[in-house]
Amino acid sequence: MDKRIAPTRQCAAMRSWTALTAGCVAMLLCASAARADLAQRALVGNFIGYDAFPENYLSISGSVARAQNGESLYLEKTISPDSSFSLFAGYQRLEQPGETTTGFSNLSLAYKHVLISIPRHEFMLSLAPEAELPVGNRSIGSESHTRAGFDLIFAKGLGDLAESLALLRPAALEGDIGWETKVTGARDDLVAATAEIEYSLAYLDEHVARFSVTHALRNLTPHLDFDYAQYMDAHRNSTAPDFELTPGVAWLNSTYEINLGVQVALNHASSTTGAVAFVWLLGVSFDQIVPALGWTPFH
């Protein structure tokens, strides 16, 4: 590598990280008046249980595909009514001709803070600065450099629709837009986004059409997820975008969640480990079981 180029790339990465940090701090200070009020519905989130609401939540999730499968652990703890800390770690197995490679993925840490909360319109927007620590196994593709970035996460329930559209009120939209970059080394940006539409049968039964759903189906929420991810580098070149579509159904209430889905690759870049994967999640809001665990140090 040309030694005259390396310092320039490192400085560029540090400038990006400094700007990111300053921007996040400014947004959090401006958003200090926002407060998280949970809507009258249980939202699905993504397949690690990640959503716009700060909450006390633990999940174990996984995926099974033709050439890759693994499990992950997600833990989130509130520190105030409108913020939380979380960690994410995973274990993967790669199936290759004649060999199997296994190992832990990198550890991700995040801080989530509500920027905007409008309870009467069931809308919430949160910011989550995050860092990925390079403690995972390189043989399964874990990054060798620390990464840092942020997620903008939103949730919008449709309970404020007009009476003529009452049957759409149980629906909700969720999603996030994220960006990550290397803190050191050659710049390597990752851009990702998720969009989800879901329909809560519990909300339908309780707020729209009373006693219209049998007890066995009441806690089901069918949903459809669309995922996009793409790596960018310092020369403004990029890898091919990764597009995936995941139809699924979640059984959930205020305490427990079971989520099952089938992840379908929509293009060649997303099918390298298999065109279809089975994904699952088991989650629990642990403060509903042990209320003392809902304690927050800040108010």
Side-chain angles (χ1 to χ4, degrees):
M1 176 184 291
D2 187 342
K3 293 183 179 179
R4 293 172 297 176
I5 298 176
T8 301
R9 290 182 176 177
Q10 291 177 359
C11 290
M14 291 306 295
R15 285 197 298 270
S16 298
W17 174 233
T18 301
L20 169 66
T21 303
C24 290
V25 170
M27 293 179 75
L28 294 181
L29 290 176
C30 292
S32 59
R35 188 175 180 84
D37 289 314
L38 294 178
Q40 294 181 334
R41 69 171 78 230
L43 293 174
V44 173
N46 62 17
F47 270 94
I48 62 171
Y50 189 61
D51 59 33
F53 291 87
E55 55 191 333
N56 297 297
Y57 189 79
L58 171 68
S59 74
I60 300 173
S61 57
S63 63
V64 179
R66 173 179 54 81
Q68 177 178 328
N69 57 76
E71 297 78 38
S72 60
L73 174 72
Y74 176 74
L75 175 64
E76 181 176 348
K77 177 67 183 78
T78 57
I79 59 172
S80 77
D82 54 12
S83 61
S84 66
F85 275 114
S86 64
L87 62 85
F88 172 82
Y91 185 82
Q92 291 188 356
R93 291 174 294 279
L94 300 178
E95 302 288 344
Q96 299 173 341
E99 68 173 317
T100 300
T101 304
T102 63
F104 288 95
S105 61
N106 289 341
L107 178 66
S108 295
L109 304 174
Y111 168 74
K112 184 192 300 181
H113 191 98
V114 176
L115 296 179
I116 302 172
S117 177
I118 310 177
R120 67 181 181 277
H121 292 301
E122 295 186 283
F123 176 78
M124 184 172 289
L125 178 69
S126 298
L127 174 69
E130 61 181 356
E132 181 182 312
L133 306 181
V135 297
N137 191 331
R138 306 291 181 271
S139 63
I140 62 166
S142 296
E143 291 277 358
S144 58
H145 294 269
T146 300
R147 301 182 68 88
F150 66 89
D151 267 334
L152 274 175
I153 321 158
F154 75 90
K156 174 67 176 79
L158 302 187
D160 55 352
L161 290 178
E163 186 63 34
S164 60
L165 300 174
L167 287 178
L168 295 180
R169 289 175 181 171
L173 304 174
E174 295 190 77
D176 67 275
I177 300 173
W179 172 81
E180 278 188 351
T181 191
K182 287 182 180 177
V183 175
T184 60
R187 183 176 174 182
D188 182 6
D189 295 347
L190 172 61
V191 179
T194 301
E196 177 181 279
I197 183 168
E198 58 197 68
Y199 194 89
S200 171
L201 298 185
Y203 191 100
L204 172 67
D205 187 61
E206 184 173 353
H207 299 286
V208 179
R210 297 284 291 177
F211 310 113
S212 63
V213 182
T214 63
H215 182 74
L217 300 178
R218 190 178 185 278
N219 289 325
L220 294 181
T221 300
H223 58 95
L224 182 65
D225 300 40
F226 175 78
D227 297 291
Y228 156 78
Q230 187 170 13
Y231 278 96
M232 309 288 187
D233 68 21
H235 301 292
R236 300 185 184 276
N237 297 321
S238 65
T239 62
D242 183 321
F243 296 113
E244 296 172 337
L245 191 67
T246 308
V249 60
W251 181 96
L252 71 163
N253 55 28
S254 61
T255 304
Y256 300 104
E257 177 178 1
I258 301 172
N259 198 357
L260 305 174
V262 178
Q263 195 170 68
V264 181
L266 297 182
N267 63 343
H268 179 72
S270 61
S271 63
T272 55
T273 58
V276 177
F278 170 69
V279 288
W280 57 271
L281 173 143
L282 302 174
V284 59
S285 298
F286 53 82
D287 59 336
Q288 299 297 312
I289 300 175
V290 183
L293 296 178
W295 174 82
T296 58
F298 305 105
H299 300 282

